[in-house]
Each structure stands twice: as structure tokens, then as C-alpha cells.
Amino acid sequence: MSTRGGVLDDARYEGRANGPEPRRGRAHERGPDREHGHGREHDRDGRGRTRPGRLPPVTYVLALGTFLMGTTEFVVAGLLPEIAGDLRVSVSQAGLLITVFALGMVVGAPLMAMLTLRLPRRWTLILTLVVFAAGHAVVALGSSFALLLGARFVTAMATGAFWAVANVVATRAAGPAAGSRALGVVGSGAMLANVVGVPLGAFAGQLMGWRGPFWALAVLAVAATALIARSVPHDGPVRVPHNGPNGAPHDGPVRVPHNGPNGAPHDGPVRVPHNGPDGAPHDGPVRVPHDAPHGRRRPERAAVSIRAEVSALRSGRLWLVLAACATTTGGVLSTYSYIAPLLTGRAHLAAGLVPLVLVGFGVGALLGFLVGGRLGDVRPHATTLVAPAMTTLLLLALSLLAGFTAPTIALVALLGLFGLGANPVLISLGVRFAGRAPTLGSALTVSAFNLGTAAGSWVAGRALDSALGATGPAAVGTVIAALTLIPTTAVALAQRRRTAAPALQGHPADADLTPIRNR
């Protein structure tokens, strides 16, 4: 049975097969197929496939949140001398504020995902933004370096939790046909932070002191909390408006005439075979996240357990995606972390022009995230192969051509375009392969990205002090980026085998649309 059209299409299919045509209410006479509760519209082409329309507004609200997260993660780099002078520590010690934040992201994303497991995702997002705002207020008021380190670590844990839950909310709101595109928009908030947020934060820090940007981030987080509260949908079962038995508008379960289990005509609710919460086959009602009527909360995950979430870690394809997350980001950001010595020492670029080159990288990364997300909905595995392959070639060229100014500047911009283009697709695959633990899968991708960045930057720092000099980080990045092709190729081959098996049985269209246990 096809699952492309959702539960109602399956119900109508069973109605035609086993009984008379179901009566259509007003909701079915509106032309294009509308999916209530998610704020998105789909129409159908000549072969009955859905064509995605505009993304739901909540996607852009979540991107505002990731913009704040990306800004706070990198703005400290432009304020290190001011922070060090005010707190009477060395610049290298002040740099621990960046390291501690990265560690908080690695630990916080999966840990907070498990601790907030029984909370509705909407409330999790609200609470993480409240903690985010409070953490920045503590940093802005604090005079002890140890206090600042603790506040940054807690803030990073909240940031990791926000990223993990925001990814799941975005993919659920956009639907499977536009999941990667939605993640591209959400992730573009962090990319935009590199272009706008970080330079503005550094400029504001020079005008009003280093504490000013942290106050600004705290205030903006409070504003974002209000937007999240208004925009993020509740979790619960879908109630589809239709005409009831007496012809009056009704939003309860649709009762479709069909044959019951004993073969006799029956007009009760159709029971659609699907996988239940525990992954086992089930024919009960399907529960879909949506906005509850009149704002009433309908918890979808009341019975979720930590054991059920952890059991998703048995998925081999999930671990392959996590390895790709670590290597793709580690390869790019190990080079980016030490791009200034390369530009000034080997490419002979004036130090005052380095920020402009970094803006070029940020613009490329923003475009790459958006384009990668859009391509990922159409050719996900091709995207995860082409992006790291191009990244490897660009890093190799950067290592060889670092002595030439113009080519180096162009290569840095292209590195931003291709280097992070596969990230939204990898997040989408991580959520999908986690099966019944999407939040944990998303959290683990966040941890993998940050772990790859931390490990890659450490190795690149050692290479910078070696005989390779300023080109050492680019050489390290080349090797790490090339390693990404191993897990992404394995995932693509595994998907081809899974698609080919149902095709041999005459079901090619639905090969990877039905829920599969331990996906």
C-alpha cells in the first residue's frame, strides 16, 4: 500500500477496494490538497505525487534562534583581547571560553535531549532560550573568569538542546518532501551569524565594551522566546475538518464506509497498518504532530522512554552519518580556524583585509547551506558525495596555491560554498535513521559536528607548529574531508540495496517510505 498520500489517502484506497466511495465533505472540495496543522500546502502532479510549496513560518522563526546560537559561539573570537584585559587573564586563557562552549555543545546536545524527553518540543525550545538568555546575562554581569566559564558551558548545553529539537521540529513541520530544505533554512541562521552577527558583535564590543554584545544576545533571546511560543505547533493527533454524519462541519475522526474485519459492511474508522511507537507493526490510529484545536495541548510523546530512545543507537546507518558529520565539519573548520596565518603569511594579504575574506567564506557557507538543503530533498546521497569530494579538492588546491593571493581568496569563498553544503542533508538523514528517536538522532549530529570541529582544530594547531607551517591546517583538512567519502559512500550503497530489494518484488516506489525498524 502506498504511503505517499498519508493516512487519508490510504483510507480512501481501502474504501474503494472494499466498499462504496466515501462521502467527501467541504474540506475535500477545495482543490489543492491542504495539510492542516503544519501551515504548508501541497498540490499533486499528474502521477499523484506531492509537490512541496512554501516552507511553514516556524522554519524561519527557528532560523532566528540558530542565528543567535551561531553568533554567541563565534563572537568571543573577536572580543578575546578585551575580555582578557578586563578579567586580567592571558589571551590564550580567554580562548578557553570558546573551547568550553564547544565541549558544552558536544555533551549538552544528547544529554539535554534525554533529560527533556518527556517534555513537549515546544516547551523544550522555550526553556533552552530562557537558559540561553540567563547565561548571557551572567556573563555580562560576571567579574570572575571561572564564573564566565561555567556560564558559557551551561549556555552551550542549552544551545545544543535547542539545535537538536529545532531540527526535529523543522523536519516534522515541513514534511518528508521538504525536510532537508527546511533544515537548510534553519542552519542558514548560524551561517548568517558568521556574515552579520559576529562582525556586528565585534564592532559593538569595540564601541560599548565586550559585555555589550552579551546583553544584546540576552535581550534578543527573550524576544525569540515569545516568537517560539507563538509559532511552534503542539504535538498531538491530527483532526481533519470534514462533514459529519448529519452533514454539518466536523473535525473529529473521519468515518469511511468499508468492509470490517469479518467482511461485513462497516462505517467505523479505518485502521491503517503502520509501525507503532515501539517500531512493531500496528494497525491502530496513526498519531501525527500538528497544532491542536483552540491551542489545547495534546501530548504526543507521553509514553516515550529513555530505553526506547537509546535502542535507536543500534542503527548502523545512523553511526555512518555521525561519522560523516564529524569529518565533513572537522575538515573545513580545522582549516578555517587557522585561515588568518595562511592569508597573511603565505598569500601576502594585508591583515586589515582578512575580515573581508572571512565574510566571503560566510556568504559562501550561507548559500551552500540553502542550496545543499534544497538539493538534498531531491538527491540526498548524491549531495553527500559531491560536497565532500569538492571540499577535498578545494582544500588540496588551497594547500598548493596558498602563495597566490587571488586564487587563495577565491578558494576560501568556494570552500564556504561546498564545505558545509552537505550538513543539512546529514542532519536529515540522522533524524530519519534514528527511527523512533528523532530528537536523540538530531542531538547526536550536533555533537558529532562539534566533536569533529574540536578534534580537527586541535590536530590543525599541531600541524601549524610543524614544518608544514601555515599550510599545515589545510593539509590536515584535506585528509579529514577525504575521509567523509567513506561513510557517505557506505550509506549510499546501503540505500541502493534497500531500494533494489522491494523493486524486485514490484514495489519500487515505496521502497524507503514505509517505517523500518532500526532504520
Side-chain angles (χ1 to χ4, degrees):
M1 178 186 298
S2 173
T3 60
R4 290 185 185 273
V7 176
L8 290 181
D9 282 350
D10 287 337
R12 288 194 290 267
Y13 174 83
E14 290 193 11
R16 288 193 298 269
N18 299 318
E21 177 73 11
R23 180 170 53 190
R24 295 175 181 267
R26 297 173 194 169
H28 298 96
E29 297 171 355
R30 297 175 181 172
D33 192 33
R34 294 176 181 267
E35 295 195 22
H36 301 272
H38 291 292
R40 66 184 187 275
E41 296 183 6
H42 294 271
D43 57 9
R44 297 183 180 277
D45 59 18
R47 288 182 279 182
R49 296 175 303 187
T50 57
R51 290 193 297 256
R54 293 176 297 177
L55 291 174
V58 67
T59 306
Y60 302 97
V61 175
L62 294 171
L64 172 62
T66 59
F67 172 80
L68 299 179
M69 309 295 171
T71 300
T72 193
E73 185 171 3
F74 298 109
V75 74
V76 174
L79 302 172
L80 285 180
E82 290 81 4
I83 295 174
D86 187 25
L87 299 180
R88 298 180 181 179
V89 296
S90 66
V91 173
S92 60
Q93 284 179 304
L96 291 176
L97 294 171
I98 301 175
T99 304
V100 164
F101 195 91
L103 293 176
M105 290 278 285
V106 172
V107 175
L111 178 61
M112 295 302 293
M114 301 301 289
L115 292 178
T116 60
L117 190 59
R118 295 184 181 274
L119 282 178
R121 295 188 181 103
R122 177 171 171 270
W123 276 107
T124 301
L125 293 173
I126 291 172
L127 290 175
T128 55
L129 281 173
V130 169
V131 173
F132 182 90
H136 283 77
V138 170
V139 171
L141 292 170
S143 58
S144 166
F145 185 65
L147 177 63
L148 264 63
L149 287 176
R152 288 285 288 176
F153 185 82
V154 173
T155 302
M157 292 183 68
T159 300
F162 182 93
W163 267 102
V165 177
N167 290 335
V168 177
V169 171
T171 53
R172 293 290 177 87
S180 293
R181 185 157 59 102
L183 289 175
V185 171
V186 172
S188 68
M191 301 302 105
L192 187 62
N194 290 322
V195 181
V196 178
V198 173
L200 283 179
F203 181 69
Q206 294 174 359
L207 290 180
M208 61 182 69
W210 67 268
R211 300 177 189 273
F214 289 95
W215 278 120
L217 286 168
V219 172
L220 290 173
V222 172
T225 302
L227 288 175
I228 289 290
R230 291 174 57 90
S231 304
V232 175
H234 296 274
D235 297 338
V238 173
R239 301 182 69 85
V240 183
H242 64 288
N243 285 358
N246 58 0
H250 181 60
D251 69 347
V254 179
R255 302 180 71 85
V256 183
H258 64 288
N259 287 357
N262 57 1
H266 182 61
D267 69 346
V270 175
R271 303 180 72 82
V272 183
H274 64 287
N275 283 6
D278 58 352
H282 181 61
D283 68 347
V286 179
R287 300 179 69 86
V288 184
H290 71 292
D291 283 327
H294 312 298
R296 293 194 301 268
R297 182 164 59 93
R298 296 179 180 274
E300 177 201 29
R301 301 178 297 158
V304 176
S305 67
I306 294 179
R307 181 178 180 182
E309 291 273 318
V310 174
S311 67
L313 299 180
R314 293 197 298 264
S315 172
R317 292 195 294 172
L318 173 61
W319 287 104
L320 289 173
V321 168
L322 295 178
C325 290
T327 53
T328 187
T329 309
V332 175
L333 295 187
S334 62
T335 304
Y336 179 77
S337 299
Y338 298 97
I339 198 67
L342 180 70
L343 292 173
T344 57
R346 293 297 301 272
H348 309 294
L349 188 72
L353 297 178
V354 171
L356 295 180
V357 179
L358 300 184
V359 169
F361 176 90
V363 172
L366 174 62
L367 294 175
F369 229 84
L370 293 173
V371 173
R374 183 172 289 273
L375 292 177
D377 288 324
V378 182
R379 294 286 185 270
H381 299 292
T383 304
T384 58
L385 290 172
V386 172
M390 288 297 300
T391 301
T392 302
L393 293 176
L394 289 169
L395 288 170
L396 179 61
L398 194 61
S399 302
L400 299 176
L401 301 176
F404 302 93
T405 305
T408 299
I409 294 174
L411 288 170
V412 170
L414 290 173
L415 181 62
L417 180 64
F418 287 97
L420 304 178
N423 286 17
V425 189
L426 292 172
I427 297 171
S428 180
L429 292 176
V431 170
R432 196 171 98 196
F433 294 160
R436 58 184 178 272
T439 303
L440 180 59
S442 174
L444 289 173
T445 61
V446 173
S447 291
F449 285 134
N450 285 275
L451 182 61
T453 300
S457 299
W458 182 82
V459 176
R462 306 288 79 74
L464 183 66
D465 295 332
S466 70
L468 295 173
T471 59
V476 169
T478 302
V479 176
I480 297 176
L483 292 175
T484 308
L485 292 170
I486 298 175
T488 55
T489 301
V491 171
L493 292 176
Q495 178 59 31
R496 175 172 293 186
R497 288 194 297 268
R498 295 172 71 90
T499 305
L504 295 176
Q505 302 174 10
H507 304 287
D510 297 333
D512 199 41
L513 294 178
T514 54
I516 298 174
R517 196 170 186 180
N518 295 333
R519 184 187 285 274

